[in-house]
Amino acid sequence: MKKLLFIACMLAICAATLMGCIPAAETQNGVNILKAGTTSAFDYGESLSALQKDWTLTAGEDGTISGTFSNSSNYLTINTETSGYATASQKVVLKPYSYYKVEYSFTSTTMTAKDESAGYVGLYVGFLEDKYFNNVKDGDNTRFDGPSTSGVETDYFYIATKNIREATLTVFVGSKDAQVKVSSLVLRDIKLTKVDKSEAVNLEGTGALYTLRRTTYGAPSKFNNIYVILGGAGSLLLAYMFYIFRARIAAEEGSSQSRFSALVSNKKNAGLLMVVGAGLIVRLAILLTESLIAGQSIMQTVYYGYNLETNAGFGNWLADYGMPYFYKYNADAAFMPISLYIATFAGLIGRVADAIGATDMVVTLTTAATIKAFAVAADMGVAVLIYKLVSAKQGKPAAVIMAGFYTLLPVAFSFSAAWGSMESITTFLVVLSFYCLLNKNYWGMAISYFAAALLTPSALLVCPFILSYTGLLIYKGIRAGKLWDWLKPVLAIVGGLVLFYLISLPFFVYDIGKGDAFIAFDKYIEAVKGLNVYSANAFNFQGLIGNNFKPVTNESTFVTILFVLFIVSLFVVAYFRSKSRLQLVVLAGGFAVVYWMFCNSLSSTTLLLALPLLFIYTAMVRDRRLYVASALYAASVFVNAAYVMMVGGYTSSGIGDIGYDNAMMYVFGSLNIVLIIYFVIVGYDAVINNKSSEFLVLRVPYGQYVGSVAKNIWIALYNASAKAGAFLKSVGDAVKEDIAERKLKQKEKADQKNPSGKDKD
C-alpha cells in the first residue's frame, strides 16, 4: 500500500507540473483567439513594428517588408506590385476535435497576375502547416481573386479541427507559384473564434466548413515541454528505483538468492538478453512509431531534427551522385568521414525505397530511419559493454541492474531512437575503446578510438587520456627494453594518419586533382573547431552568463587554452600517480564534464559520451555519491538536449539559439554550476583520497525500509525542533534578564539622583 501511495503522489506531482507547461487553448465560444490591437486586429497606432510583435510578416523575394506592408489608418495595407506575394501569420493554440469560425473584412484595388503565363491567386486565409487547407485546385475555396471590391467586403468560413493543437493562421495574398499584383489590399479586421458544432455544421449563407488536420510531424513546440519534464523527472525516478533494486541484490550476496538472481546467474545469457531485450523494445517502439506516423500520406512536412535531417540529406546526395564531387557542391558540410560513410550507406537504403516508387518524403524517412538503426545498435552496444564489465566484478544480477538502468535512461534512447544522433555511435566507440583499454587490448582501443575521432568532434574530449595511456605504454616499453611494446603505439599513431588520408580520399578526388593534396586535414580541423561561439545552446557557465551564440574573442580563446592545459595536467598527473586503468575511465569522463561546463563552443549533445564513462566507474566501485552525480547528469543532459531539439527549433542554416526571454539558461545553468561543484568534491574524495560511500544494502522489505527512513527523519526533525525551541527559549530568557537588569540599573540611577524623592537644588 505504501508503494502505491508513493507512486500515486509522484504521478500527481508530475501531472500538476505538466499542466502548467501546456499552453492552454481558449475554451469559451465567441472569444477572439488572435492577438489583436486596441480596437481591431491591426490597430497598433499605425506602427508596423508594434504590429510585428504579434504578427509575422513575409514578402516575396523581390520585395521588402516595409515596401509591401503599412499600418496606415490602423489597417494592414498590402502592396504586392513588387513582391508578388505576401503573408501575415500568427501562431494559435487550438482545441482538438472542436469547431472554429474565421471572419475577416477587407477592400482591394484591381488584382492582376504578375506573370500572365502562371496565373495568380488572390486573398485567402489558411494555415502554414497545411498547404492544401482552403487552397485546393478543384473544390470549394473561400478566396477572393478580384478583380476589385466595390466597398468593404466580409467573408467567413468554419474549421473542424482533428488531432492538432498548435497551428499558424496565415493571411495569404498571392503565392510563390501564382504571384499577384495589387496596389492596395486593405485588411480591416480578422477574428478566429470557437463556436458550437451546431453553428458550424448547420451552415447558413455562403459559409463553408473545412477540416484542419495535423500535417506536420516532429515540429518543435512548447507542448513538447511535457516530454522534457517527463524525461528529466523519469531519469531521477529510474535512478532511485534501480538503486533500490541494486540494494536488494546486494543483500543476497552470501545468502539465498531470489528467483530473479538464480535465473540470471544459472542461465548463461539470460541477463544479457534481459538487458538487450528491454532496451530494444523501447527503442524499436519509438523508431517504428515515429516512422509510421511520419510516413502517413497526410503528412506534408516532417521535422527530424537539424543533425539527423542534415545527415539524411547528405546521405541521399551521396547515394545519388557519389563521393568525388561532394564538397564541390556541399562546401559547408563538416568533414567527419565515418559519419559521411554511415550517411552514404543509409542513403543507399533510401535509394531502394526510391526504386520501388516511394515519394521523396518516404525516401528521406527511410534514410533517416537507417541512421537511427545504426544509433540504436550502438546504444545497445554500450549497454552490453557495461553488462560485461560489471558482471566480471560483481556478478550477473548486479550487471543486469546497472546495465538495465543505463539502457532505459531517456537520455540514452532519445539520442538514438528518437533523434538518430551520431553522438550515440561515438559514445559506443569511446566506451569500446576504454573497454579494450581495461582489458589491455591496445589495438582494439586504438582502432575504436580512431573510428570515434572520425565520427564526431566530441570524441576528442577524451583524447588526452588515450594519449596518456599510450605514452605510458611507450615509456614502459622503452624502460623494459621491449621493442614491440613501445613500437606498437608509435605504429598505431603513424598508421592512423595514413589510414585517415586513405579514408578521406574518395571525398576529395576533385580537390586533389586541382593540387590541394592535404585538404582532408584542413577540412577535419575546421570541423573540429566548430562554431566560434561561447556556447551553442549548452546550459553551462557561458550560457549562464548570457554568452549563448556570442562570438568568442581572441583573449577568451587564449584564457581557455591556458585553462584546458591546466586541467589536463591535473587529470593526467592524477592518472600517472595511480596508474589505474579504471581511474583513467572516470578521469576521462570527469574531464569531459569540467571541459563542457567552463569552455567554449560546446553544444547540448557534447556531454553524452561522458555519461557511460562515469557510470561504469560508479558501478564498478559502488560509490553512491558518484551514482547520484551520474543520475543528475543524465537528467541534466537530457533536459538540455531535449529542450533544444523539441522546443527550441531549427532552420535550414542550423539550430536556433535559445534566447534569454525565459529562465531556462539561467535556471539550468545555475543547477549545473551546483552540480559541477558537487561532482568535483565527490570525485576528488573518491579518486584522489580513495574514499568511497558504499551502495545501500537493503536486507528488509522496501516498505519497512521507507518506514524506518521516515521515522528517522521524523526523529531528526523532532530533535532539531526541540533544540531550536530550547535555543529560542534560552534567547528569550536572556532577553528578559537583560531587560530586567536594564530596568534595575535605571532605577538605581534614579535613586542615586534623588535619594529623598525630591530634586536637588
Side-chain angles (χ1 to χ4, degrees):
M1 186 65 187
K2 292 181 179 179
K3 292 182 183 179
L4 292 176
L5 182 61
F6 172 75
I7 294 172
C9 291
M10 291 299 297
L11 290 175
I13 292 171
C14 289
T17 304
L18 294 176
M19 289 299 293
C21 298
I22 302 174
E26 179 59 57
T27 57
Q28 293 185 5
N29 292 345
V31 177
N32 187 14
I33 296 172
L34 297 172
K35 296 177 183 177
T38 306
T39 59
S40 64
F42 307 109
D43 182 4
Y44 289 87
E46 301 190 352
S47 171
L48 192 63
S49 59
L51 183 146
Q52 287 180 277
K53 292 179 180 179
D54 292 334
W55 292 88
T56 300
L57 307 179
T58 64
E61 297 174 358
D62 297 332
T64 61
I65 298 297
S66 59
T68 304
F69 298 92
S70 66
N71 192 217
S72 58
S73 302
N74 288 322
Y75 302 138
L76 183 61
T77 303
I78 302 173
N79 179 352
T80 64
E81 289 191 320
T82 301
S83 62
Y85 61 96
T87 66
S89 58
Q90 187 177 129
K91 185 160 285 189
V92 293
V93 178
L94 303 174
K95 189 176 180 181
Y97 303 101
S98 301
Y99 293 87
Y100 293 86
K101 180 181 180 180
V102 175
E103 184 176 12
Y104 54 99
S105 58
F106 62 94
T107 62
S108 176
T109 56
T110 303
M111 290 182 174
T112 58
K114 191 175 182 182
D115 182 358
E116 294 293 341
S117 62
Y120 76 91
V121 296
L123 166 69
Y124 69 97
V125 178
F127 290 88
L128 288 182
E129 291 77 11
D130 186 356
K131 61 184 178 182
Y132 300 119
F133 181 90
N134 194 23
N135 187 35
V136 293
K137 292 182 179 179
D138 299 320
D140 295 331
N141 295 309
T142 302
R143 191 170 77 194
F144 176 78
D145 290 329
S148 63
T149 59
S150 57
V152 177
E153 289 201 12
T154 299
D155 219 337
Y156 68 94
F157 59 85
Y158 293 92
I159 303 170
T161 61
K162 295 298 183 182
N163 56 333
I164 186 168
R165 290 183 178 274
E166 199 171 47
T168 309
L169 182 138
T170 305
V171 178
F172 294 89
V173 180
S175 67
K176 187 175 183 179
D177 299 324
Q179 299 187 18
V180 64
K181 289 177 65 175
V182 58
S183 60
S184 178
L185 189 148
V186 181
L187 286 172
R188 302 172 69 89
D189 200 7
I190 183 170
K191 294 179 181 179
L192 173 64
T193 56
K194 187 175 179 297
V195 297
D196 286 329
K197 178 180 178 180
S198 58
E199 179 182 345
V201 174
N202 301 319
L203 299 176
E204 298 178 0
T206 60
L209 176 62
Y210 306 120
T211 300
L212 180 62
R213 297 179 175 87
R214 188 176 69 171
T215 58
T216 62
Y217 179 73
S221 168
K222 291 182 180 179
F223 286 100
N224 291 334
N225 277 319
I226 295 174
Y227 304 109
V228 177
I229 294 174
L230 277 177
S235 300
L236 300 179
L237 186 59
L238 275 173
Y240 178 74
M241 290 171 57
F242 277 87
Y243 180 75
I244 296 299
F245 293 160
R246 180 67 183 89
R248 292 291 292 167
I249 294 297
E252 297 175 2
E253 295 175 2
S255 61
S256 59
Q257 291 183 320
S258 63
R259 285 185 295 175
F260 165 76
S261 297
L263 173 65
V264 170
S265 301
N266 299 330
K267 298 291 184 180
K268 184 177 180 181
N269 294 317
L272 187 58
L273 289 174
M274 286 182 184
V275 172
V276 174
L280 278 179
I281 288 173
V282 173
R283 286 158 179 78
L284 291 179
I286 294 172
L287 195 158
L288 293 175
T289 301
E290 286 191 339
S291 299
L292 289 173
I293 294 174
Q296 295 179 95
S297 59
I298 194 176
M299 292 298 170
Q300 299 173 18
T301 307
V302 177
Y303 294 84
Y304 298 100
Y306 178 73
N307 294 323
L308 179 58
E309 196 167 298
T310 301
N311 288 327
F314 289 161
N316 289 334
W317 197 100
L318 288 163
D320 288 338
Y321 305 107
M323 298 177 180
Y325 294 95
F326 177 72
Y327 277 98
K328 180 181 179 181
Y329 296 99
N330 300 274
D332 295 332
F335 180 61
M336 301 304 294
I338 303 298
S339 175
L340 290 176
Y341 275 105
I342 293 174
T344 302
F345 179 83
L348 292 172
I349 300 298
R351 287 194 68 182
V352 174
D354 184 46
I356 60 177
T359 63
D360 290 343
M361 181 175 290
V362 173
V363 170
T364 301
L365 175 61
T366 303
T367 304
T370 305
I371 294 174
K372 286 184 177 182
F374 273 99
V376 166
D379 213 13
M380 298 316 303
V382 175
V384 170
L385 294 175
I386 293 174
Y387 176 87
K388 291 177 71 67
L389 286 170
V390 177
S391 63
K393 296 290 184 181
Q394 300 175 18
K396 293 180 180 179
V400 173
I401 299 300
M402 294 291 98
F405 169 55
Y406 180 83
T407 195
L408 294 177
L409 277 173
V411 69
F413 62 70
S414 295
F415 267 85
S416 58
W419 305 326
S421 176
M422 292 289 180
E423 294 292 348
S424 293
I425 309 175
T426 300
T427 299
F428 165 68
L429 292 171
V430 167
V431 173
L432 179 60
S433 66
F434 279 96
Y435 175 82
C436 294
L437 183 150
L438 290 171
N439 288 281
K440 299 182 179 180
N441 180 356
Y442 182 78
W443 286 114
M445 181 204 75
I447 294 170
S448 302
Y449 185 72
F450 173 78
L454 300 188
L455 191 61
T456 62
S458 60
L460 298 180
L461 285 176
V462 299
C463 183
F465 304 93
I466 298 294
L467 292 179
S468 296
Y469 180 69
T470 300
L472 185 62
L473 288 182
I474 293 173
Y475 170 75
K476 287 182 175 180
I478 294 174
R479 187 173 181 181
K482 296 180 180 179
L483 177 63
W484 180 244
D485 283 358
W486 67 264
L487 188 59
K488 179 170 58 175
V490 174
L491 290 175
I493 295 172
V494 175
L497 295 174
V498 174
L499 186 58
F500 168 77
Y501 190 81
L502 294 176
I503 290 174
S504 307
L505 196 60
F507 293 98
F508 298 107
V509 172
Y510 175 77
D511 299 275
I512 292 173
K514 292 173 60 178
D516 197 350
F518 296 99
I519 186 174
F521 292 95
D522 296 334
K523 281 285 187 180
Y524 181 76
I525 293 171
E526 182 182 327
V528 169
K529 285 181 178 178
L531 296 172
N532 186 39
V533 294
Y534 282 105
S535 173
N537 286 336
F539 292 163
N540 58 9
F541 177 73
Q542 293 293 353
L544 173 64
I545 62 176
N547 284 337
N548 194 36
F549 273 96
K550 289 186 178 180
V552 179
T553 62
N554 293 331
E555 294 81 1
S556 179
T557 301
F558 177 73
V559 172
T560 300
I561 292 172
L562 293 180
F563 174 76
V564 170
L565 291 175
F566 174 70
I567 297 299
V568 167
S569 62
L570 289 180
F571 280 71
V572 170
V573 167
Y575 165 62
F576 283 121
R577 178 189 173 194
S578 66
K579 297 183 179 62
S580 166
R581 295 190 305 279
L582 182 58
Q583 284 195 0
L584 190 64
V585 175
V586 72
L587 287 171
F591 172 78
V593 168
V594 174
Y595 185 93
W596 180 85
M597 189 67 217
F598 294 107
C599 293
N600 303 330
S601 305
L602 281 308
S603 73
S604 60
T605 61
T606 309
L607 201 56
L608 178 66
L609 64 81
L611 299 179
L613 298 179
L614 297 178
F615 191 72
I616 287 170
Y617 183 82
T618 299
M620 298 283 276
V621 301
R622 294 187 287 190
D623 190 304
R624 64 183 175 188
R625 298 169 303 171
L626 287 176
Y627 182 84
V628 170
S630 300
L632 290 172
Y633 269 115
S636 175
V637 173
F638 174 82
V639 168
N640 194 170
Y643 188 84
V644 172
M645 297 276 192
M646 303 172 70
V647 181
Y650 63 98
T651 65
S652 58
S653 59
I655 295 176
D657 60 309
I658 298 174
Y660 291 90
D661 54 344
N662 60 52
M664 288 297 294
M665 297 293 287
Y666 297 119
V667 171
F668 284 95
S670 300
L671 290 175
N672 283 330
I673 286 289
V674 175
L675 181 53
I676 191 67
I677 293 172
Y678 172 78
F679 174 74
V680 169
I681 293 173
V682 170
Y684 182 87
D685 206 33
V687 177
I688 304 301
N689 294 334
N690 292 318
K691 295 180 180 179
S692 65
S693 179
E694 288 285 331
F695 278 4
L696 173 71
V697 178
L698 189 59
R699 294 187 171 87
V700 297
Y702 179 71
Q704 184 177 340
Y705 166 73
V706 172
S708 175
V709 171
K711 182 179 179 181
N712 290 336
I713 292 174
W714 170 254
I715 292 172
L717 290 174
Y718 179 81
N719 291 337
S721 63
K723 290 180 180 179
F727 173 74
L728 292 175
K729 184 177 183 303
S730 63
V731 170
D733 292 342
V735 170
K736 288 180 180 179
E737 290 179 3
D738 184 66
I739 293 173
E741 186 177 347
R742 288 175 179 272
K743 287 182 177 180
L744 180 61
K745 288 182 177 180
Q746 289 175 354
K747 186 176 181 303
E748 291 176 351
K749 286 183 179 180
D751 292 341
Q752 291 176 359
K753 184 177 180 181
N754 188 10
S756 61
K758 296 180 180 180
D759 292 337
K760 294 181 180 180
D761 294 332

